[in-house]
Amino acid sequence: MAGRLAGKRAVVTGAAAGIGEGITRRFLEEGATVLAADLDPSAVAPAGPGVPGRLEAARLDVTDRPGIAALAERIDREWGGVDVLVCNAGGTLTQYPPVLDADEDYWDRMFVLNARSVFDTCRAFVPLMRDGGSVVTIASAGVVVHKTGFGVYGAAKAAVARMTQAIAGDYASRGVRANAICPGTIATAAIQRMLATAPDREERERVQLAGIPLGRFGTPRDVGNLALFLASDESSYLTGTVQVLDGGATLG
Ligand SMILES: NC(=O)c1ccc[n+]([C@@H]2O[C@H](COP(=O)([O-])OP(=O)(O)OC[C@H]3O[C@@H](n4cnc5c(N)ncnc54)[C@H](O)[C@@H]3O)[C@@H](O)[C@H]2O)c1
């Protein structure tokens, strides 16, 4: 079976766990060659028997500018270019302050991890899309709805969504498309860590689930399915979009 991404060379950041792992798995199932880049490449799960794609793991810290550039240089040398880039690595810190209680250090760390990282990764890898390509960024539903404790994170993710649209506009003439995914609550270790900070974890989880019309948290595979569509030629007329994927949670 050829697969929907047969012949595509993809780079996925933060690929060892959670959403990044879900995306990597879907890409491999559909025949892509995937560079799974993560702080901990030893944690990248093998492709498994019968999976048509090819997997390579590499160490990458998306807050490390020279490290990103060096990895892009090596991949260009060895692969001769890339077709798909998924900027997924990012996340929250361990505190969730009301927005103006965040200090400068919190703001800076949040923006380096979530926004500057996407800028740097795109700057390094988009020039490698010589035959066109697809950029997929993972922003957050926090771009469109406010939740106390996620103000600075939401601002950094809003920067990601807008930057994605800017890439779409500036590089369309070179055949590069760019779309952002804004996930709601996706069941990953990051969400477990966040729920664990609540005084009553079960009540917090119950309230959160009650706010999702489809009645469940999303899965990494749900995000993988949308990323697959955005990466594939099936979405060849789609660019500059910001797609909320949240089981209806932002309907209000
Ligand atoms: N889980 C959710 O509900 C949710 C919702 C909206 C947006 N997101 C976004 O999705 C992305 C992935 O979140 P997740 O829940 O899968 O997280 P996770 O913590 O479950 O997994 C994150 C992965 O990224 C890697 N990573 C962390 N920092 C990195 C760095 N500096 N450089 C390279 N790799 C790094 C980790 O090693 C890990 O493998 C993040 O950008 C997050 O903000 C998640």
Side-chain angles (χ1 to χ4, degrees), residues 13-21 37-41 43-44 59-64 87-92 113-114 117 138-142 153 157 181-194 208 218 220 223 245:
T13 67
I19 290 173
E21 183 184 10
D38 200 283
L39 274 180
D40 182 5
V44 171
R59 188 182 186 283
L60 176 70
D61 177 352
V62 293
T63 68
D64 168 21
C87 295
N88 164 71
T92 53
L113 175 60
N114 287 291
S117 64
I138 305 299
S140 165
Y153 173 73
K157 290 296 196 181
I181 298 177
C182 293
T185 305
I186 310 297
T188 68
I191 289 300
Q192 294 308 326
R193 285 194 298 274
M194 194 264 289
Q208 221 162 316
V223 187
L245 182 71

Side-chain angles (χ1 to χ4, degrees), residues 8 10 12 17 22 26 32 37 48 51-52 80 82 90-92 119 146 161 170 181 193 199 208 223 229 236:
K8 303 267 191 211
V12 181
R26 280 308 278 128
V51 172
V82 303
T92 53
F119 173 64
H146 167 67
D170 286 350
I181 298 177
R193 285 194 298 274
Q208 221 162 316
V223 187
F229 173 66
S236 61

Side-chain angles (χ1 to χ4, degrees), residues 24 27 44 48 51 82 84 89 116 119 123 127 141 150 211 226 239 241:
T24 299
F27 282 14
V44 171
V51 172
V82 303
V84 176
R116 196 191 80 180
F119 173 64
R123 247 183 358 157
F150 293 86
L226 179 53
T239 198
T241 68

Side-chain angles (χ1 to χ4, degrees), residues 122-134:
C122 289
R123 247 183 358 157
F125 284 98
V126 169
L128 276 46
M129 295 179 167
R130 297 185 188 88
D131 303 323
S134 173

